[in-house]
């Protein structure tokens, strides 16, 4: 492992991640970087759990999606374990899928049939939140070494910060956009029905509650279709 070259590549990746314009673009850059920077990596993806439901983000290969679906169906697997908030495990490495894996007796042989030879996973986390797991795959048994594991961990550390930052930025932008739409809808109601600001907001809120529709969606309808009937 040429660590001097790796450090240069990692620094370039960190700058590139901050330049991405969306959460999806950031995640795509993270998984692409895994295939570029982690020796032995043929494919990578990010697994996020919502309860027992699995979401696969930015997969670089169909193998990643198939593995995640398999873990969801079986309710077991290394990525599945690492992505769960209650586990203390932050890094794992399975060296060889051609031998028995007692911890995942159903998943391991099925994953091998999919074409997985070895794999690693890294919890994506910051001090405030756990975001999912970055998982890297090789079709060859024994492809990942301790150097590969360290490289993956360093990449995941940078990736988690970029993921969290991109998501926060997206949430802020959505909040600003929502506030703008609600303000515009209130203006329409105030002008059309001679309401005060407080009364106009009350109309939007009551409609939202009574019809089980998000306030943002109610405001959007007002802006597009006019006052509520």
């Amino acid at each position: 492992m040429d660590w001097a070259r790796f450090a240069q590549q990692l620094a370039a990746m960190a700058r590139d991640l901050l330049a991405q314009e969306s959460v999806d673009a950031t995640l795509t850059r993270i998984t692409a970087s895994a295939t570029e920077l982690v020796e032995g990596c043929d494919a990578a993806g990010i697994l996020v759990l919502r309860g027992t439901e699995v979401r696969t983000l930015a997969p670089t290969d169909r193998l990643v999606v198939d593995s995640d679906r398999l873990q969801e169906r079986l309710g077991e697997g290394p990525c599945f374990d690492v992505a769960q908030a209650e586990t203390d495990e932050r890094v794992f490495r399975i060296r060889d899928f051609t031998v028995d894996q007692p911890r995942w007796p159903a998943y391991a042989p099925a994953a091998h049939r999919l074409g997985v030879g070895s794999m690693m996973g890294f919890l994506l986390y910051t001090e405030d939140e756990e975001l999912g797991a970055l998982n890297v795959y090789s079709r060859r048994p024994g492809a990942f070494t301790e150097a590969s594991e360290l490289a993956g961990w360093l990449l995941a550390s940078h990736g988690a910060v970029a993921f969290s930052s991109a998501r926060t930025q997206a949430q802020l932008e959505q909040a600003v956009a929502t506030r703008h739409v609600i303000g515009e809808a209130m203006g329409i109601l105030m002008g059309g029905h001679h309401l005060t600001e407080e009364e106009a907001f009350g109309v939007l809120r009551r409609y939202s509650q009574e019809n089980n529709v998000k306030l943002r969606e109610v405001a959007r309808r007002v802006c597009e279709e006019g006052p509520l009937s």
Side-chain angles (χ1 to χ4, degrees):
M1 184 75 176
D2 184 345
W3 288 109
R5 182 170 179 270
F6 175 82
Q8 293 176 339
Q9 292 175 307
L10 189 66
M13 182 209 71
R15 290 190 293 270
D16 192 30
L17 285 176
L18 292 177
Q20 301 304 311
E21 297 183 352
S22 69
V23 174
D24 287 345
T26 300
L27 298 183
T28 297
R29 190 69 192 94
I30 291 170
T31 55
S33 294
T35 63
E36 297 164 5
L37 300 181
V38 179
E39 289 184 351
C41 177
D42 294 321
I46 293 170
L47 182 148
V48 175
L49 275 180
R50 295 289 180 267
T52 58
E53 180 186 355
V54 168
R55 292 183 61 204
T56 305
L57 307 180
T60 65
D61 191 278
R62 180 69 199 182
L63 179 65
V64 179
V65 179
D66 290 343
S67 173
D68 287 353
R69 296 286 81 74
L70 179 62
Q71 292 181 80
E72 180 180 41
R73 179 168 60 81
L74 297 174
E76 70 169 54
C79 312
F80 197 85
D81 288 354
V82 170
Q84 294 185 81
E86 59 264 25
T87 181
D88 292 328
E89 195 169 15
R90 297 177 185 269
V91 180
F92 71 85
R93 174 158 49 113
I94 300 178
R95 293 173 175 81
D96 189 347
F97 272 82
T98 64
V99 300
D100 290 341
Q101 301 293 332
R103 184 171 172 184
W104 303 291
Y107 168 75
H112 181 53
R113 288 192 293 272
L114 290 176
V116 179
S118 49
M119 66 185 296
M120 297 188 296
F122 308 88
L123 182 66
L124 295 170
Y125 68 97
T126 65
E127 289 187 358
D128 301 320
E129 57 185 340
E130 294 176 347
L131 304 161
L134 170 65
N135 305 303
V136 299
Y137 295 82
S138 176
R139 292 182 172 83
R140 294 183 296 108
F144 298 123
T145 64
E146 290 184 4
S148 301
E149 185 174 315
L150 178 56
W153 179 78
L154 290 168
L155 187 154
S157 298
H158 283 278
V161 173
F163 184 5
S164 179
S165 177
R167 194 169 68 171
T168 298
Q169 180 64 28
Q171 290 169 343
L172 287 173
E173 290 174 357
Q174 184 180 46
V176 169
T178 296
R179 183 174 179 179
H180 175 77
V181 171
I182 290 174
E184 186 175 343
M186 287 170 58
I188 292 171
L189 294 176
M190 290 165 66
H193 297 286
H194 306 290
L195 302 176
T196 65
E197 206 172 285
E198 186 176 348
E199 289 169 338
F201 183 75
V203 170
L204 294 174
R205 185 174 57 187
R206 282 193 299 275
Y207 189 94
S208 171
Q209 293 171 342
E210 291 170 0
N211 294 275
N212 195 28
V213 179
K214 290 184 177 179
L215 186 62
R216 179 179 68 248
E217 177 62 19
V218 175
R220 186 190 64 78
R221 291 182 188 178
V222 171
C223 292
E224 294 179 356
E225 302 171 11
L228 300 166
S229 56

